Amino acid sequence: MRRSLIALAAGLALQAHAQQPVVAEAPLRAHLSFLADDLCEGRGTGQRGGDLAVRYLETQAAVIGLKPLADGTYRQSVKMEGTKLLPSSFVRFTADSGKILTPANGSDIVYGTFGGKEEVTIDAPLVFVGYGAVAPEEKWDDYKGIDMKGKILVMMVNDPQPTAEEPNRFAGKAYTYYGRWLYKFEEAVRQGAAGALLIHTTPSASYAWSVPATSFSHERFHLAGSGNPIEGWVQEDTARALFAAGGFDLDKLRADAERRDFRPVDLKIKLHADLKSKIRQIEQFNVIGIVPGADARLKSEAVVYSAHWDHLGIDDAAKGDHIWNGAIDNASGVAALLAMAQEAVKHPAKRTQVFLWPAAEETGLLGSAAYVRHPAWPLDKTTADLNLDSMNFVGKTRDIGVAGAERSSLYEAAGVVARKMGLTLAPAIPDLSGAYFRADHFNFAKAGIPAFNVGSAVFSGDGYFDFVKDQDKSRARLVAFKQDYHQPSDEYHADWDLSGMVQQAQFTLNLGYEVANTPKMQTWKAGDAFAKVKR
């Protein structure tokens, strides 16, 4: 009898294990190879490739068996405005001394308008406003109450740096949202400025000049609403020349801006801009599919998985390869979510699971911003968002990156899942690039929902890899991707070892089930800035 009971228990345990959702590589690879193919034309916002991606996703959602939204579709409308600067546009800087500078668009400066007008003429003085931050909790205000209406704000990227006396100000060496380009442009609008120019350095921005240069060379988008009449970036050498023309030393003013008593500085230079743009109103779509919860009480709550479907699209004016395929960024995350959803529909969790493919992440997290404004599931009933963006393509790892999870109870849940999978959590490292504020999960965090981007040890761990294939080749590919980021060379390769990508997707799905089945909703850690946000 005892042996029978033991055998029965063992059989039930095996049956339970067999019922656990297991992400398969074959569908993930198939989705990835298709979405990154030239046929999808880089899945550009407002382009045919984007429409193809949406049609593919909603078709796959239906095939998989995800439930649609209340209107019977898998689409959520995201209305936005597209702006493409025309070649006849130009900017000129004239110093009070009479010196004139005409930096070259693309190499010395990049700019555009978000004001919604096809023709914009601007004559306005330049004012250096340090980091351009207003942070009451840090007792920091770079504007000091000075009226900025009608002025062009020149700002540094990143945050005020820590000092010996205040080693933890603005999160120490880590990035905060105040350091992000998006915040600085938003603050310029709040200040009523005529525009904003950010000084680019690779260390402060955490990426090379090619990233903003590529972005501004494409059509740019924003949600309906106000924007800056002119905004852009200037190369450090260009900024140095501008400051010198006005009689100022860039390095000295940057040092001055590290103090709380810093006050805005009139640079004695005026900008003249004639901007001509092609403006269009477009509608894009988030794609959403649902796995209803199985628990009578908890099914009213949900966990969200997200991965943006868009990339930079196609540029017929570019020389050579003119398709930004976005294989890793982010056909990888899109494919992983499809493979995860395929298994999730077979094994409903207690809470509802929402699979979200946001639009227009590359243009400022617009799709996820639209979602939290009009959520498919009530925000106060959403326990967490787990985001996937730019996944591991070089092999399995023994740890998993969970940067940002430490802000909430998701960190403990991630630890439970990692142990069950024989993994460790990658050591916490300072967020020197502002990664937490650069992906779709951030809009959920701003709405009060615990959220983070589930990374891989390849990008955030201890650097140890259990490669299935040649280690040197895999490491070389990892290093090379830094040059492929936001370039046409981010293309799919059939010989990629996707075992690590499957591992990362499996971890994310397992974590989703962990938080979907636990009795309590996820919460922010006491003292975290997002803990004060009401969902």
Side-chain angles (χ1 to χ4, degrees):
M1 180 68 177
R2 179 179 176 80
R3 289 182 179 178
S4 298
L5 290 174
I6 292 174
L8 176 61
L12 290 173
L14 286 171
Q15 183 179 3
H17 177 74
Q19 290 176 346
Q20 295 298 312
V22 177
V23 178
E25 178 177 326
L28 193 160
R29 183 180 290 275
H31 295 310
L32 172 57
S33 64
F34 177 81
L35 290 162
D37 193 89
D38 281 357
L39 286 171
C40 287
E41 300 177 352
R43 309 182 306 283
T45 298
Q47 297 183 10
R48 184 180 67 167
D51 295 339
L52 288 170
V54 168
R55 190 71 186 97
Y56 181 80
L57 285 171
E58 64 182 356
T59 300
Q60 292 301 315
V63 169
I64 287 168
L66 292 173
K67 299 298 182 183
L69 299 172
D71 64 359
T73 76
Y74 296 95
R75 296 186 174 201
Q76 180 187 50
S77 176
V78 182
K79 294 183 179 179
M80 60 186 74
E81 186 174 83
T83 302
K84 174 68 174 177
L85 192 72
L86 299 178
S88 55
S89 303
F90 73 93
V91 298
R92 180 178 64 246
F93 297 93
T94 304
D96 287 359
S97 64
K99 188 169 184 178
I100 297 174
L101 296 92
T102 55
N105 187 18
S107 57
D108 301 325
I109 186 172
V110 292
Y111 52 88
T113 182
F114 264 13
K117 296 181 179 179
E118 292 185 340
E119 296 189 10
V120 178
T121 300
I122 300 172
D123 287 286
L126 268 60
V127 179
F128 178 62
V129 293
Y131 287 101
V134 179
E137 71 277 15
E138 295 282 350
K139 299 182 176 58
W140 194 280
D141 181 1
D142 280 321
Y143 295 96
K144 302 297 189 294
I146 298 173
D147 187 2
M148 292 295 159
K149 290 183 177 61
K151 298 173 182 177
I152 305 296
L153 310 184
V154 182
M155 311 183 211
M156 297 186 292
V157 185
N158 213 311
D159 305 293
Q161 297 300 291
T163 64
E165 296 76 21
E166 294 184 282
N168 295 316
R169 77 175 186 179
F170 285 90
K173 286 291 186 181
Y175 231 92
T176 75
Y177 186 50
Y178 297 110
R180 290 280 290 133
W181 63 267
L182 194 59
Y183 165 80
K184 295 175 190 296
F185 288 153
E186 289 172 348
E187 188 59 43
V189 173
R190 287 189 285 269
Q191 294 289 332
L197 295 174
L198 309 183
I199 301 171
H200 177 272
T201 71
T202 297
S204 65
S206 80
Y207 40 71
W209 175 255
S210 61
V211 175
T214 297
S215 175
F216 275 78
S217 69
H218 289 74
E219 184 178 18
R220 301 175 70 231
F221 299 88
H222 63 99
L223 298 178
S226 61
N228 289 299
I230 185 172
E231 59 185 42
W233 296 68
V234 294
Q235 284 266 35
E236 183 178 26
D237 288 345
T238 303
R240 194 176 301 281
L242 283 173
F243 280 55
F248 297 95
D249 179 82
L250 173 61
D251 292 330
K252 181 181 184 305
L253 288 188
R254 286 196 289 204
D256 292 345
E258 297 292 345
R259 301 195 307 264
R260 279 191 175 82
D261 61 357
F262 168 82
R263 296 179 65 82
V265 176
D266 181 350
L267 292 176
K268 311 299 182 184
I269 299 174
K270 288 186 173 59
L271 173 145
H272 174 78
D274 281 328
L275 308 182
K276 293 178 173 58
S277 305
K278 181 180 179 181
I279 309 289
R280 61 178 177 138
Q281 307 299 321
I282 67 168
E283 182 179 34
Q284 296 290 269
F285 298 94
N286 295 332
V287 179
I288 304 169
I290 297 170
V291 179
D295 184 86
R297 182 178 65 85
L298 293 180
K299 68 180 181 181
S300 65
E301 300 171 354
V303 58
V304 177
Y305 308 91
S306 57
H308 74 90
W309 59 254
D310 67 296
H311 196 57
L312 302 181
I314 192 169
D315 184 356
D316 289 326
K319 296 179 180 178
D321 188 353
H322 61 290
I323 298 176
W324 276 254
N325 300 82
I328 297 304
D329 185 13
N330 184 35
S332 63
V334 175
L337 245 62
L338 285 170
M340 291 159 57
Q342 180 173 321
E343 299 307 314
V345 296
K346 305 172 188 175
H347 311 284
K350 291 182 179 180
R351 286 185 174 87
T352 294
Q353 298 175 86
V354 177
F355 288 84
L356 166 66
W357 291 271
E361 187 270 356
E362 300 289 5
T363 60
L365 317 183
L366 301 185
S368 56
Y371 178 90
V372 298
R373 290 183 186 181
H374 306 286
W377 208 265
L379 296 183
D380 63 351
K381 295 290 186 180
T382 301
T383 185
D385 170 59
L386 307 177
N387 192 61
L388 290 173
D389 194 341
S390 298
M391 296 181 67
N392 173 8
F393 64 102
V394 298
K396 292 181 70 173
T397 64
R398 64 180 181 184
D399 61 358
I400 194 81
V402 293
E406 72 281 355
R407 294 172 173 268
S408 70
S409 57
L410 286 172
Y411 187 80
E412 284 68 35
V416 170
V417 172
R419 285 191 294 274
K420 290 179 179 178
M421 294 181 65
L423 299 169
T424 59
L425 299 183
I429 56 176
D431 186 3
L432 301 180
S433 65
Y436 189 78
F437 314 102
R438 291 168 53 183
D440 282 314
H441 67 273
F442 179 55
N443 279 320
F444 285 86
K446 286 200 297 182
I449 298 168
F452 75 103
N453 191 70
V454 184
S456 72
V458 169
F459 299 110
S460 59
D462 64 6
Y464 179 89
F465 311 109
D466 293 321
F467 290 129
V468 175
K469 297 184 179 180
D470 182 76
Q471 292 193 29
D472 291 337
K473 183 177 180 181
S474 296
R475 289 182 185 278
R477 276 183 163 161
L478 177 61
V479 172
F481 179 69
K482 295 179 181 179
Q483 303 302 318
D484 297 335
Y485 177 66
H486 278 211
Q487 299 299 318
S489 53
D490 180 8
E491 298 180 317
Y492 169 73
H493 297 274
D495 63 345
W496 274 347
D497 178 357
L498 297 190
S499 60
M501 194 175 295
V502 173
Q503 179 188 50
Q504 188 180 349
Q506 187 68 62
F507 176 86
T508 306
L509 187 59
N510 290 355
L511 178 56
Y513 275 80
E514 178 70 21
V515 302
N517 291 329
T518 191
K520 294 183 179 180
M521 296 266 284
Q522 299 300 302
T523 57
W524 295 101
K525 297 289 179 67
D528 191 271
F530 297 116
K532 303 175 183 178
V533 181
K534 184 178 180 180
R535 300 187 191 191

